[in-house]
Amino acid sequence: MLRARMVELSWAGQQVPSIADELRCSQKTVRRWLHRFNRLGLDGLEDLGGQGRKRRITEAERSRIIGLVKQPAPGRLTMQADGELAAADESGPPEWTLDALASEARRLGIEVGRSQVRRILLAEGVRWRRTRSWTRSRDADFEGKGPGSSSSTPARPKARRSSAPTSSDR
């Protein structure tokens, strides 16, 4: 729309500096689009395809990486039918980390690095870390640690009294 407006203003007789001021863009930008329009017609106002770096992994591979997070980590202990705790792969990580996810993706044939896994998960809003509360347990005999800090330790230092006289001191 902006590019077509540049052409319209040019046809109306406005000069490049006034078009740039009116559309709040640089004179160089106006000249570039007007030259492309003169050379290619309406097709010159379209975006050129292929800008930027191509994705190294496919959408299917991205989905597989995201799907890994939803599965239990291979070294995570799970309760078996006989009541014992066991892991599918005792040498595997008990929790998903970026390194573990990248390693598992590479094992699946997806060439991806740790930082790229992080970018993919952040872009999709997927959490790969599990927050834990260490103060809760299903064990009936479990006792919490009690208050977080000693009552003899003040939370912050007391404010000093100023030495300036107040109305009650006079």
Side-chain angles (χ1 to χ4, degrees):
M1 183 87 159
L2 182 69
R3 299 167 192 172
R5 183 82 177 122
M6 289 176 191
V7 172
E8 179 185 14
L9 293 173
S10 176
W11 281 355
Q14 283 192 17
Q15 299 296 314
V16 170
S18 69
I19 295 172
D21 286 342
E22 184 173 329
L23 299 179
R24 293 191 170 107
C25 61
S26 71
Q27 293 181 26
K28 182 178 178 181
T29 300
V30 174
R31 283 189 187 93
R32 182 180 66 225
W33 288 111
L34 291 177
H35 288 297
R36 273 189 60 187
F37 176 77
N38 289 336
R39 208 174 50 245
L40 303 170
L42 286 176
D43 292 338
L45 299 180
E46 292 181 11
D47 284 330
L48 294 176
Q51 302 293 330
R53 181 176 174 179
K54 303 288 185 260
R55 285 191 166 175
R56 289 181 24 218
I57 62 173
T58 65
E59 282 300 318
E61 291 171 331
R62 289 172 62 91
S63 296
R64 286 180 72 190
I65 291 170
I66 293 166
L68 283 174
V69 177
K70 304 297 182 192
Q71 300 172 2
R76 184 179 178 105
L77 294 176
T78 55
M79 188 70 70
Q80 303 299 310
D82 60 1
E84 292 292 315
L85 289 174
D89 176 11
E90 291 186 14
S91 65
E95 295 289 329
W96 285 124
T97 63
L98 292 174
D99 289 326
L101 287 166
S103 176
E104 183 66 14
R106 284 191 295 271
R107 191 186 68 73
L108 295 172
I110 304 170
E111 287 303 315
V112 66
R114 178 185 191 277
S115 61
Q116 191 172 11
V117 169
R118 181 177 179 276
R119 283 192 303 271
I120 290 167
L121 297 178
L122 287 174
E124 296 297 323
V126 176
R127 293 182 54 136
W128 65 92
R129 297 173 284 219
R130 193 170 60 102
T131 56
R132 291 185 172 189
S133 172
W134 294 99
T135 61
R136 297 185 184 174
S137 173
R138 294 183 185 154
D139 185 0
D141 296 331
F142 176 78
E143 289 185 35
K145 291 184 176 181
S149 64
S150 170
S151 60
S152 65
T153 306
R156 62 182 126 130
K158 300 255 187 221
R160 288 190 199 179
R161 292 192 139 186
S162 72
S163 58
T166 60
S167 61
S168 61
D169 293 339
R170 293 185 191 152

